Amino acid sequence: MDVVIRNANLADGQQGVDVAIEQGRIVAVGPRLAVQTGREIDADGDLLSAPFVDAHFHMDATLSYGLPRVNASGTLLEGIALWGELKPHLTQQALIERALQYCDWAVARGLLAIRSHVDICDDRLLAVEALLEVKRRVAPYLDLQLVAFPQDGVLRAPNALINLKRAIGMGVDVVGGIPHFERTMADGAESVRILCEYAADQGLMVDMHCDESDDPMSRHIETLAYQSNRLGLHGRVTGSHLTSMHSMDNYYVSKLLPLMREAGVNAIANPLINITLQGRHDTYPKRRGMTRVPEMLAAGIPVAFGHDCVMDPWYSLGSADMLEVAQMGLHVAQMTGQEAMRDCFRAVTSTPAAILGLQGYGVAPGCHADLVLLDAADPVEAIRLRAARRMVMRRGKIIAESPRAHARLSLPDRPDSVNFRLNR
């Protein structure tokens, strides 16, 4: 064996497990493996997980905060307007540099797969070219999946549908959309039909910004589920945001969730951004803004969490830390039961991996040796502490390391300092 990781805890609850790695893949998992190896790593009872996965991000806008100006209101619509102001001034080199910097942040935090939407409404497709180049450069250490995203509406913006098809022809992976931003509800529904039919014809996945609104009558997710069912796209279609669902009446939702489940539609919530941008027209009581995560999980709908934005026109914070995303999702959705908290960890690991269709993902024989060793004993503790990433491994090679979190006490009445683990 090339490497054996000893005495690790796994996210499924197994404890004291060894993981043997050879030629970039996991070949054995079990207690006290009797194997010869060139290198042993002592997990010392810490959590060994498959890497974090971000199912919803905007890498073309990341780290552009303050360009050409700051979003003064902090609202979604000003962010969209600001991005429109910035687009004519974008350069391919600047896009590449910012995206590569973000990918470095991601890897250091054990985030090794990202689905990024890329705006195709600029006829130059400059951002598409830039992120395709980034995808090529980061491939050895990060899986980057791109969504052709018509930010200004595929029917509303001139040439958007043509540009979307051009982007797919250049190598973009997924068909995107934003039906609630079309000029009318009817146009929104028509955009869903057109884009789903195109995806079905091309054998592609679909991921639409859907109903990112406080309006309970924004119901394009119903149309998306219908088209998924009609066209046989089960498992290949995702509705992102779905924030209007937090304002819908319970009777309508009781009909909607079975329709989504039947159609095999996935859902992605973006806790940091949804809680920030939604409910802006409310005084009090003020809506939380995030979609109905526990209810969708109970209905058998896969739900992942996305980071969405980091230091861009819509959000001035963020650090590529998916445990921060999971922690916010846990709080906003009030998912404080033991299994619910584990669902939040799955929402930034195994669930988005399945939505993206990642091959060889997991901690099992035959999987890629893509692993994160966290300074925590289990998923709940990892979320609570936003645990340090002791080690990040890609294809069996360590690509990032950080020390465990220690604190050193020095008390006036105790001459000796005391070292202790924050999480023990």
Side-chain angles (χ1 to χ4, degrees), residues 268-326:
I268 299 171
N270 298 293
L272 294 168
I273 311 307
N274 297 154
I275 193 68
T276 302
L277 295 181
Q278 302 310 129
R280 288 294 183 120
H281 294 283
D282 295 353
T283 53
Y284 290 94
K286 184 180 282 286
R287 287 167 286 187
R288 288 173 175 261
M290 196 169 75
T291 192
R292 300 189 186 205
V293 175
E295 291 81 2
M296 285 194 284
L297 289 172
I301 298 166
V303 182
F305 291 157
H307 206 314
D308 197 6
C309 305
V310 170
M311 296 184 68
D312 66 12
W314 295 272
Y315 190 59
S316 58
L317 306 174
S319 65
D321 186 351
M322 294 308 293
L323 285 176
E324 179 184 9
V325 176

Side-chain angles (χ1 to χ4, degrees), residues 154-155 161 165 175 187 189-199 208 227 230:
V154 76
L155 297 179
L161 184 58
K165 293 179 179 180
V175 175
D187 277 358
E190 179 67 2
S191 76
V192 173
R193 182 191 67 80
I194 290 169
L195 292 167
C196 284
E197 287 182 352
Y198 174 69
M208 292 197 187
Q227 296 296 348
R230 180 177 75 87

